[in-house]
Amino acid sequence: SGFYAGTWVSNVKYESSEAYSYEHDMYAGYGFSAGDVSMDVGYLYYNYDSEAEFDFGEVYVGMGLGDFSIQYSLLANTEADEAEGQDFGFGEAYYLSLDYGFELTNGVGVGLHIGHHDGDFAEAFNGNASGYTDYNVTFSKDGFTFMISDTNVKGGAAEGGYDNDSVKFVVSY
């Protein structure tokens, strides 16, 4: 029918704590396509333990044309506390991403991604005074994926020793 729902879970570590904790995301939406054009609308909720105090939700709309896609997400709600001069209201932060995927002749899938997150909430969450841009290249074959990822996050958590501004490599199956 086009409706979908899902969840994603990972461990995380906060600057203020020696303990590792979790991120548990839940999402639901509706997607459909007509020929080479696809559309997707939905809601994504990011849930962290009480130590983080940054649970938030986003509404998003995405469109694909052939191998290209674009997605725009807006802050919908959060339980995070605003500092003086900050606004964490609906639409006061956004994430815009562009993606391109294709397959090589040997069956290896290649994905290219760039995204930008900005606004008062984005700055408070990431500790980066002017938002941030992330980018990655993904290679996949037979259920295996290798990703090279980087971001221009400077300061904030990066200053806490987490190397958020260093290139990351991810292997998954």
Side-chain angles (χ1 to χ4, degrees):
S1 72
F3 288 100
Y4 61 88
T7 187
W8 179 88
V9 179
S10 181
N11 65 311
V12 294
K13 185 174 181 182
Y14 306 114
E15 183 176 358
S16 61
S17 171
E18 292 298 319
Y20 281 85
S21 193
Y22 69 87
E23 174 182 338
H24 177 213
D25 303 343
M26 296 164 280
Y27 55 89
Y30 179 75
F32 61 94
S33 61
D36 278 350
V37 177
S38 62
M39 293 292 296
D40 184 22
V41 295
Y43 177 79
L44 174 56
Y45 184 72
Y46 299 85
N47 177 39
Y48 302 92
D49 69 5
S50 60
E51 173 109 7
E53 299 175 347
F54 259 102
D55 290 7
F56 68 98
E58 296 176 331
V59 292
Y60 59 86
V61 60
M63 181 179 157
L65 179 59
D67 296 333
F68 289 95
S69 65
I70 184 170
Q71 182 169 310
Y72 188 70
S73 303
L74 284 175
L75 178 68
N77 58 288
T78 182
E79 61 184 44
D81 293 329
E82 300 169 346
E84 188 174 328
Q86 290 182 323
D87 186 354
F88 293 171
F90 182 87
E92 292 296 329
Y94 72 89
Y95 182 74
L96 176 64
S97 63
L98 301 169
D99 293 274
Y100 177 68
F102 58 95
E103 189 171 307
L104 301 175
T105 56
N106 61 1
V108 172
V110 179
L112 306 173
H113 166 86
I114 186 165
H116 185 74
H117 195 199
D118 212 340
D120 285 349
F121 179 78
E123 293 169 13
F125 185 80
N126 296 298
N128 213 40
S130 61
Y132 76 91
T133 301
D134 63 273
Y135 25 91
N136 66 57
V137 177
T138 304
F139 302 94
S140 59
K141 183 166 174 95
D142 300 329
F144 288 93
T145 302
F146 175 71
M147 179 174 67
I148 304 167
S149 179
D150 200 4
T151 179
N152 68 348
V153 170
K154 306 286 187 225
E159 289 178 355
Y162 299 115
D163 297 328
N164 289 338
D165 57 347
S166 297
V167 174
K168 302 288 190 269
F169 301 93
V170 178
V171 178
S172 62
Y173 178 75

